[in-house]
Amino acid sequence: MRYPHAIIAVLFLALQPCMAQTDYEPSETNQPGKEYPKVDSEGRVKVEVLAPEANKVQLDIGGVKYDLTKNEEGIWTGESAPQDEGFHYYQLNIDGASVPDPGTKYYYGAGRWGSGIEIPATDREIYAVKNVPHGRVSEQLYFSNITQAWRRCFVYTPPEYSKDTNTKYPVLYLQHGSFEDETGWASQGKANLILDNLIAENKAVPMIIVMDNGYAYKPQDSSTEGNRRPQSAFEEVLIQEVIPMIDSEYRTLADREHRAIAGLSMGANQTMRIIMNNLDKFAYYGGFSGTSNYPTSDKIDTKTFLNGAFDDGKAVEEKIKVFWLGLGTKEPDPFPGSVGAFRNMLEEQGIDHVYYESPETAHEWLTWRRSLYQYAQLLFKK
């Protein structure tokens, strides 16, 4: 039997939703043995949760809430629109309460432990687990006299660190963003895997990476009044406590020529201030999706910006060996404007810098993974 072309077209369109379901695969961030959430080849996220007594359940991802539907067994299912490549935080909303998805591993972001999902990226091999020598990420606890509290950082030591006990290594101090913590770079960011792969390909110098918590407050400054934010003591903690501790407990090349600093978003702002206040401590800077104070105008007054730290461009140029900035092409305001204004200032002051754009990513972890991948290749090379 032959069908008119119009009927065939209608049948094809009717079958498309069914066809779209065929390539869903469990996410790599799922807890062991969990089938959901799933991701398809177009980046849609499909979730399933048992909540028989609930009246309304939604998937909250990418700033959009998607209604789920319930079957006779009380299982709610639904899917999102296609998401950008990379890692995304998300949650479920059950009768108005936002909760983690019980099917995924939990990550610290948005100021809480919650769900995260990986949308496979075309360049995911840069942070894939490969059959190469692997470094180690260890937890370093320390008591801070400045904050009068126990703190911790995570320390990546490169392959061969524990075997070759004579070699000393340069150090990169790498900071997370707002409402994240010291777990971010080794977990969501996959910093250790990025460096393992770069080192194996001889694209990066073996280095130590220190990932500390950017939230640090003195006891007298830890409380807030109204909407006032407490004064951060992180710079003091890093300079006076963390760096001396790392240099004493690890085999480091303990001079500015072998010390770098970088951060993402809030961490980019923090590290910008830190390096400009401590050019005797660092020779390399990396700002991922941020600079400092988010200047929004195209013109930055160098005499007042960061206490005039950039007023003498030649002096900055001589001190900082690599000045690196990165941004996603889909970043929302204020990031393009602030980073653009900062770049204009650098050019006016004659300060050489590297600028990188991550294609088709926003203010998210794939932008920062790619940034670390690019930045690390320029560090500590003669």
Side-chain angles (χ1 to χ4, degrees):
M1 180 182 296
R2 293 185 176 180
Y3 296 97
H5 292 303
I7 295 177
I8 292 174
V10 170
L11 288 172
F12 177 76
L13 290 172
L15 288 171
Q16 273 192 317
C18 297
M19 295 168 63
Q21 307 297 318
T22 58
D23 68 348
Y24 271 103
E25 296 289 342
S27 169
E28 68 176 73
T29 60
N30 285 9
Q31 295 188 37
K34 298 294 185 180
E35 184 179 3
Y36 287 87
K38 294 182 176 182
V39 180
D40 76 358
S41 59
E42 295 186 7
R44 296 182 182 87
V45 175
K46 187 175 184 179
V47 296
E48 176 182 286
V49 63
L50 177 64
E53 302 301 320
N55 295 308
K56 184 176 184 178
V57 179
Q58 295 175 306
L59 164 62
D60 185 351
I61 185 170
V64 179
K65 293 180 179 179
Y66 301 90
D67 291 335
L68 308 187
T69 57
K70 182 170 68 170
N71 66 12
E72 294 179 354
E73 287 77 35
I75 297 174
W76 295 78
T77 58
E79 65 182 25
S80 73
Q83 303 295 305
D84 289 340
E85 294 182 347
F87 177 91
H88 303 281
Y89 301 114
Y90 79 98
Q91 57 192 348
L92 300 177
N93 190 286
I94 301 178
D95 286 344
S98 295
V99 298
D101 184 338
T104 68
K105 298 175 184 175
Y106 294 165
Y107 303 85
Y108 191 79
R112 55 171 172 72
W113 286 96
S115 303
I117 196 161
E118 194 78 41
I119 309 299
T122 53
D123 58 348
R124 57 188 177 275
E125 73 278 356
I126 69 174
Y127 50 82
V129 180
K130 299 179 182 179
N131 186 20
V132 299
H134 290 283
R136 179 180 300 170
V137 177
S138 58
E139 181 183 61
Q140 180 74 50
L141 296 172
Y142 64 97
F143 185 80
S144 167
N145 288 312
I146 293 171
T147 66
Q148 286 295 296
W150 283 97
R151 292 174 54 84
R152 69 174 178 177
C153 58
F154 285 93
V155 181
Y156 166 82
T157 47
E160 305 301 322
Y161 179 88
S162 59
K163 296 179 181 179
D164 178 5
T165 57
N166 294 317
T167 300
K168 295 183 178 182
Y169 296 88
V171 185
L172 165 62
Y173 290 85
L174 186 62
Q175 286 307 120
H176 60 84
S178 58
F179 301 107
E180 294 170 337
D181 69 4
E182 67 274 18
T183 63
W185 267 112
S187 183
Q188 298 94 296
K190 300 182 183 289
N192 55 315
L193 298 177
I194 292 171
L195 264 294
D196 288 343
N197 295 335
L198 284 174
I199 293 169
E201 296 172 11
N202 293 316
K203 291 182 177 180
V205 172
M207 66 186 77
I208 295 169
I209 301 179
V210 179
M211 299 158 278
D212 205 287
N213 190 323
Y215 291 101
Y217 307 105
K218 297 177 181 179
Q220 64 269 28
D221 295 331
S222 60
S223 62
T224 60
E225 295 179 4
N227 295 323
R228 183 182 65 85
R229 290 186 177 183
Q231 180 69 34
S232 174
F234 178 64
E235 180 176 337
E236 294 178 62
V237 170
L238 182 68
I239 299 299
Q240 299 177 26
E241 297 181 324
V242 178
I243 291 177
M245 174 187 68
I246 295 299
D247 286 341
S248 67
E249 299 197 18
Y250 295 83
R251 296 194 313 277
T252 68
L253 294 166
D255 57 59
R256 71 174 301 274
E257 303 296 318
H258 296 94
R259 197 178 288 130
I261 194 167
L264 69 91
S265 194
M266 179 190 82
N269 302 339
Q270 289 179 314
T271 54
M272 171 60 67
R273 288 182 170 276
I274 289 170
I275 190 172
M276 298 314 297
N277 289 336
N278 300 275
L279 286 171
D280 61 324
K281 298 289 194 299
F282 304 96
Y284 302 83
Y285 174 75
F288 310 159
S289 301
T291 53
S292 183
N293 272 0
Y294 296 115
T296 56
S297 66
D298 292 334
K299 185 73 175 177
I300 294 177
D301 182 358
T302 58
K303 293 186 181 298
T304 59
F305 183 64
L306 293 180
N307 297 318
F310 287 93
D311 200 36
D312 188 346
K314 184 178 179 180
V316 175
E317 173 83 13
E318 291 176 350
K319 284 285 189 179
I320 300 181
K321 291 188 172 184
V322 174
F323 206 125
W324 197 98
L325 300 174
L327 198 68
T329 60
K330 297 174 67 175
E331 298 248 15
D333 292 334
F335 304 102
S338 65
V339 174
F342 190 81
R343 290 186 64 209
N344 290 339
M345 180 271 292
L346 293 179
E347 291 172 359
E348 290 174 2
Q349 297 300 102
I351 300 171
D352 187 36
H353 66 281
V354 178
Y355 178 65
Y356 166 76
E357 286 189 344
S358 170
E360 297 300 311
T361 58
H363 204 67
E364 56 201 25
W365 275 103
L366 186 54
T367 296
W368 306 323
R369 292 171 182 171
R370 288 171 173 172
S371 294
L372 176 61
Y373 177 80
Q374 299 291 335
Y375 175 63
Q377 295 182 61
L378 303 179
L379 299 181
F380 313 122
K381 295 186 175 180
K382 295 181 180 179

